[in-house]
Amino acid sequence: MLTIDDLKSLGANTDEGLTRCMGMEEFYLRMVKMALSDDSFEKLREAVQKGDLDEGFERAHALKGVLTNVALTSLADPVIEMTEQLRARNDIDYSELLGRMEEVLAKYRALL
């Protein structure tokens, strides 16, 4: 079962997330679960790997909003970096950022 303490242990700013959810812990945890279940992580990886910077930016930007709203900071960080690189249309090797994102995502998803 997902708990606030579990999220904190992975670097989530749960105080901020709870504030955004008006202090309603159950609602916050439900929003976190929805964010972690989003298939946009996989679609972001696919877009970047095939070199579709426009699609990659759209996916990264949307995930950035979702992750910062629920304050999953450690997961948002690599997504924010990708968003800015993709916004600038930098055709770079995204494997390190994708790897960081996927590593942290796996840790969060293991809590579900």
Side-chain angles (χ1 to χ4, degrees):
M1 183 172 104
L2 183 64
T3 68
I4 296 296
D5 288 337
D6 290 337
L7 294 173
K8 282 182 182 180
S9 75
L10 293 179
N13 184 342
T14 56
D15 292 337
E16 182 179 322
L18 282 166
T19 298
R20 287 198 174 111
C21 292
M22 299 172 287
M24 297 186 299
E25 185 174 324
E26 185 178 318
F27 177 65
Y28 173 64
L29 293 173
R30 189 174 31 184
M31 294 297 101
V32 168
K33 288 176 188 176
M34 287 174 58
L36 295 174
S37 300
D38 194 323
D39 69 347
S40 289
F41 294 101
E42 290 75 22
K43 290 184 179 184
L44 168 59
R45 180 181 31 79
E46 291 168 8
V48 169
Q49 287 177 337
K50 70 180 180 182
D52 188 341
L53 301 181
D54 292 329
E55 176 70 16
F57 171 73
E58 292 300 322
R59 296 291 177 176
H61 190 262
L63 279 172
K64 173 185 164 185
V66 169
L67 296 172
T68 56
N69 276 331
V70 292
L72 298 181
T73 310
S74 57
L75 184 53
D77 288 346
V79 173
I80 291 168
E81 288 182 51
M82 274 190 279
T83 302
E84 295 313 310
Q85 291 292 333
L86 291 162
R87 181 189 314 275
R89 301 196 46 74
N90 292 329
D91 190 14
I92 62 171
D93 180 3
Y94 286 90
S95 59
E96 188 270 329
L97 289 169
L98 287 169
R100 283 179 40 211
M101 176 191 77
E102 290 171 349
E103 179 183 342
V104 177
L105 177 60
K107 290 177 182 176
Y108 276 107
R109 283 183 171 172
L111 299 175
L112 301 178

